[in-house]
Amino acid sequence: MHVVAPLDSKSVDNPPKAAVRDLRRVDIHPNHWYPLAWSREVKRGKTHAVRFAGEPIVLARTESGKVIALEDRCAHRQVPLSGGVVDGEAIRCGYHGWTYDCSGKCIDVPYLGRERLPNGVRAYPCREAEGLIFVFPGDAALAETMPLPPLGSVADKAYKTRRFGREVACHYSFMHENLMDMNHQFLHRKQMGKMRARSLGRRRGDDWVEVDYTFAREAGQQPIGEALVFGQSRKSERADHKDVMTIRTQYPFQTLRIRTSDGTIVMDLWICYVPLDREQRTNRTFGLLSIKRPKIGALLDVAWPLLVWFTERIFKEDRWIVELEQAAHDAQGADWNHEVFPVINDLRDLLRECGAPAARRVIPIEPSAESVAV
Amino acid sequence: MHVVAPLDSKSVDNPPKAAVRDLRRVDIHPNHWYPLAWSREVKRGKTHAVRFAGEPIVLARTESGKVIALEDRCAHRQVPLSGGVVDGEAIRCGYHGWTYDCSGKCIDVPYLGRERLPNGVRAYPCREAEGLIFVFPGDAALAETMPLPPLGSVADKAYKTRRFGREVACHYSFMHENLMDMNHQFLHRKQMGKMRARSLGRRRGDDWVEVDYTFAREAGQQPIGEALVFGQSRKSERADHKDVMTIRTQYPFQTLRIRTSDGTIVMDLWICYVPLDREQRTNRTFGLLSIKRPKIGALLDVAWPLLVWFTERIFKEDRWIVELEQAAHDAQGADWNHEVFPVINDLRDLLRECGAPAARRVIPIEPSAESVAV
Amino acid sequence: MHVVAPLDSKSVDNPPKAAVRDLRRVDIHPNHWYPLAWSREVKRGKTHAVRFAGEPIVLARTESGKVIALEDRCAHRQVPLSGGVVDGEAIRCGYHGWTYDCSGKCIDVPYLGRERLPNGVRAYPCREAEGLIFVFPGDAALAETMPLPPLGSVADKAYKTRRFGREVACHYSFMHENLMDMNHQFLHRKQMGKMRARSLGRRRGDDWVEVDYTFAREAGQQPIGEALVFGQSRKSERADHKDVMTIRTQYPFQTLRIRTSDGTIVMDLWICYVPLDREQRTNRTFGLLSIKRPKIGALLDVAWPLLVWFTERIFKEDRWIVELEQAAHDAQGADWNHEVFPVINDLRDLLRECGAPAARRVIPIEPSAESVAV
């Protein structure tokens, strides 16, 4: 696909900045709800180890079915609590049996009296919605004031949703830029054929940026996989599509919607890229891809395996290229990108502005408290 | 097993110290005899490469059957002598054939006259006992004054001994603490069932600390594997055992003994943790587990495979947890342990006091001696 | 083989130098033609990724059959152009389709007008000869003044040539020293038997050093593989060979020739060690081994598989030992070699003097040029 120069680009773009922060070293802001696991991964009575930006977190579904999230380190010997066992509504460390409730409080050390229990571990606000387990890794006092993000059309029976994702070895910003820049469809030429994208304009707010596209086929047959996602072209091969694709980064999440001329959303993607390591050079992607059911609902079910295959192929190519971008950044030691597309430069500014402050990276040192009296 | 508050704990424990050395960065003291290989690993006429705290050492059994230990670097091109060949009572480097005797002296360079032979390599004092090859990696002048450690009951025909061990990716101090703290039997709950440990008291000297325990079963059947090691419980399931377990760190070695009420040692474990890498974050464990033969000696032989399986399972669980401790230390960059058990805090002090001085870690730089005349 | 003290060694050798550069940290000089691939590896219409001392380079054979060499980074998002496609005489990046010609100029960005094309990428002088693709990685202005190196007897029909090589995990200097020091034949004792080498003298120029050897068999039968390479011994087993072997480093290349008493070259080896990583601790070896065809030419073809096997065995042993040398250097952090053979000390001086200046290693930082107007 090719993008025609956007309609609103008469405005002068920002001049090159002297000392901007290296976007690939901007940490994601922790004061949001992040999906850290699929609900099905956290089974009743079991623990499940996850990470957020290098912080080890244990999720556990207690006997009552509630999911809790604690720092994944026993206060005693620092071993992961995820190696322990769920005991009623609590987690018991697998080494010496120290036990923590859902608030992180230590409620039992088998060989100490109850009156002299040591301090516990950090607990994280935790919620479950639409098959995802969300954790608030930042300032817990803000969690209540912050709603869970809307998850597209996943709750609407008129849509069928595919849940997908995988670990990708790159900074989350490469993921945002990859999805928002439709010029990269050259990468998917085997799946998508030759398409011409037209940018209809971009919009920006304090914590979001979005862009609209329409598409025209330049040559060749429309691949069947694409027809499933984008809808079949209705007149001739050379006619412009009337469908409009809107891609939006609503920090820190991203959505992609395709609307027909009558305003119906035929495809609704919600996606989030969660940093795994402290350097935030890897992320785990959680995606919800909702497709509007056609009048004969079974058609979509029949075509579903093909749609899965098609999106997996696209996702695999995207993963390949963004991991090469990260590798180039690592080799060059800085961000050498020469971005020429204004939408993407807006997006880059947004990700820098909404990210965590630069001073956040501190290696915590806690003096070892020796010889606590028994 | 649970440990009841020790009888001697009325004394006030040490207050937390301000600036103690990080125990996980204390190097083991080199002025002791350390087992670096099993005798069966060093075959006649063959070399065998080992390491002590990052120092490469070649062991070789010469044609006369004697074992020698040299620095595992040819003085010429620095390649390992363990890649060479045993030649009579000497080792010949596999690259250009430089040859060293048991004292490390260079006795032949095939293309140089005997009168102009270069300097040799370092030799280590080396002894063989009870199927172990011991090396003295510290100040060789002290080796003669230091006896080999007593090796438990391994030489006593009344006992049958299992030799075991493996590489474990942690600092040796985690191994000492793991064995000495019997509260960690929660880790072995599948093998050991629910036991209640009672600490009878601890003792300490300049270079040793020891603790006694008795045990009582809290619930469930005694597993058959445990019966083999700890002896079968004689009366009812709920009766306290009269056997006493004594665990001792006699720096740098560790022992665990179980005595019956008549003073008979029924189990006698000797164990040593030898650091492999320079950072001492991995160790190779050498263990000698001696079990008193019952009156009908064949019974033990019949049960032996079960005992092997049982101890391997226990050892595997211990390895899993101490490697998690090391990983937590690496991630946290410091020792965050909150130890509450006085015996272990004594042990930690001992390991710090008996360890190598802090200034020991120096990367050796030797100028290259160019152009020695031929 | 043993080397007798060289005839010209009455001269006093250089005394040890105080502060010489660590040879293993001397970068190879970039102002030479280096082979970066075999011709057969670069197929028509395909890209091929290579490296020179950490610099990523894409080779491509265009539709006309010409080979071009560009920096392997798209100017846009820095991803490797080797992941893209050959388009006529140009390379198109696989991500957004930016296109570069053989001079590195950007000639198309599908979604930008031709009048506003961004800067391109670096191009390297590139030539093809005798099945090798040579690139000039240094100052391109010097490339025309510098001829391709002579490649031994590869172009002479009277010889049959074996092309060989592999990646070796060591600094290129270890490779030069390994080949030039014939005393190392102890390493190949299984293939070569017991030979006595006699150094007939060494010579040195500004950018070359060479040494002559003759050989005498000390004991045992001549292995058949060796007979193929060195020629069959003509009289008795104990008679000195009259053949002379000359090994020469003509910076940065190396040759080894065996001449019979009538001056015929029976074996002619040309070899080059190309650093792959920025630290130059790995190299890719490109070798051309030319053997004079005997009068009955088919004999050589019949014996060829044996010769391949023989040289592979020798090469494998050499690779094993030089990688151990590099590992020792890494562990010791400096060059501890005690070289006693004057030829090798000459060679070491040469490699230091002809190598890149010490200040060359700089990590390039280029500010990211944000927001170029579309």
Side-chain angles (χ1 to χ4, degrees), chain C residues 219-248:
Chain C
Q221 287 279 329
Q222 183 187 35
I224 190 158
E226 185 212 296
L228 277 165
V229 180
F230 289 85
Q232 208 172 340
S233 56
R234 266 141 291 193
K235 290 180 208 164
S236 77
E237 290 291 352
R238 297 210 55 82
D240 280 9
H241 290 221
K242 299 297 179 210
D243 300 346
V244 173
M245 177 190 283
T246 302
I247 304 170
R248 177 183 177 100

Side-chain angles (χ1 to χ4, degrees), chain A residues 75 98-101 103-109 117-121:
Chain A
W98 292 32
T99 308
Y100 304 89
D101 69 11
S103 72
K105 203 176 106 184
C106 183
I107 57 172
D108 186 37
V109 172
L117 290 174
N119 290 329
V121 297

Side-chain angles (χ1 to χ4, degrees), chain A residues 5-20:
Chain A
L7 301 182
D8 65 345
S9 72
K10 284 165 233 154
S11 62
V12 176
D13 286 298
N14 303 325
K17 288 158 195 173
V20 290

